[in-house]
């Protein structure tokens, strides 16, 4: 009745697996009681609420209100609710109310909420210049 495809038959291009949707990305959460001296690299979403002295690289980074980052952040999507001192490169940056940022930014789109404290240099880049 049903026939399975032999293992040696290649997939047609329509059957090839596609890139995972954002909802399929792995999510890592680092709580506020964690202190890190060193780099963090993630291929998914990183929700960071601790303290770090060094670099963070991920597809999407959320620095929660308890986050204290001294270093560089690289991400396609960066949301800042806590503190960042250093530098950030991201396609989309959202700096929320109550945030304290003293950093140099390279970004494609930037949103700064009223009440955010920001200091640093801001430079717009295009998506084709961005590399994770």
């Amino acid at each position: 009745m049903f026939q399975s495809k032999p293992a040696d038959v290649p997939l047609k291009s329509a059957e090839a697996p596609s890139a995972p949707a954002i909802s399929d990305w792995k999510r890592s959460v680092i709580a506020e009681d964690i202190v890190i001296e060193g780099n963090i690299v993630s291929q998914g979403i990183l929700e960071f609420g601790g303290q770090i002295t060094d670099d963070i690289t991920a597809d999407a980074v959320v620095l929660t209100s308890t986050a204290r980052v001294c270093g560089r952040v690289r991400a396609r999507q960066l949301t800042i609710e806590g503190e960042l001192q250093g530098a950030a490169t991201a396609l989309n940056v959202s700096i929320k109310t109550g945030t304290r940022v003293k950093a140099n930014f390279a970004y494609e789109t930037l949103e700064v909420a009223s009440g955010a404290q920001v200091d640093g240099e801001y430079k717009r880049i295009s998506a084709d210049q961005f590399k994770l």
Side-chain angles (χ1 to χ4, degrees):
M1 185 156 143
F2 293 104
Q3 292 181 338
S4 63
K5 189 184 325 182
D8 60 328
V9 175
L11 290 174
K12 294 178 187 173
S13 62
E15 297 173 354
S18 61
I22 291 175
S23 61
D24 295 334
W25 288 356
K26 293 184 191 293
R27 183 178 195 93
S28 300
V29 178
I30 298 179
E32 62 190 61
D33 62 331
I34 303 295
V35 177
I36 298 172
E37 291 186 20
N39 297 325
I40 296 175
V41 177
S42 174
Q43 293 181 0
I45 301 167
L46 175 63
E47 184 176 324
F48 187 83
Q51 296 180 38
I52 184 169
T53 304
D54 225 327
D55 301 345
I56 297 175
T57 302
D59 281 319
V61 175
V62 177
L63 301 178
T64 69
S65 62
T66 59
R68 306 294 175 258
V69 178
C70 185
R72 293 183 143 300
V73 179
R74 294 186 60 78
R76 293 184 208 294
Q77 174 66 43
L78 173 59
T79 302
I80 306 171
E81 299 170 354
E83 293 182 17
L84 171 62
Q85 292 185 19
T89 301
L91 289 177
N92 303 302
V93 177
S94 180
I95 301 174
K96 303 296 184 180
T97 300
T99 299
R100 292 188 305 226
V101 175
K102 189 172 188 177
N104 295 330
F105 281 85
Y107 64 91
E108 184 178 45
T109 62
L110 174 66
E111 174 189 350
V112 180
S114 177
Q117 299 174 25
V118 294
D119 185 22
E121 295 181 19
Y122 294 80
K123 176 184 174 187
R124 190 159 189 272
I125 60 171
S126 65
D128 59 335
Q129 294 174 308
F130 178 81
K131 290 182 185 175
L132 227 154

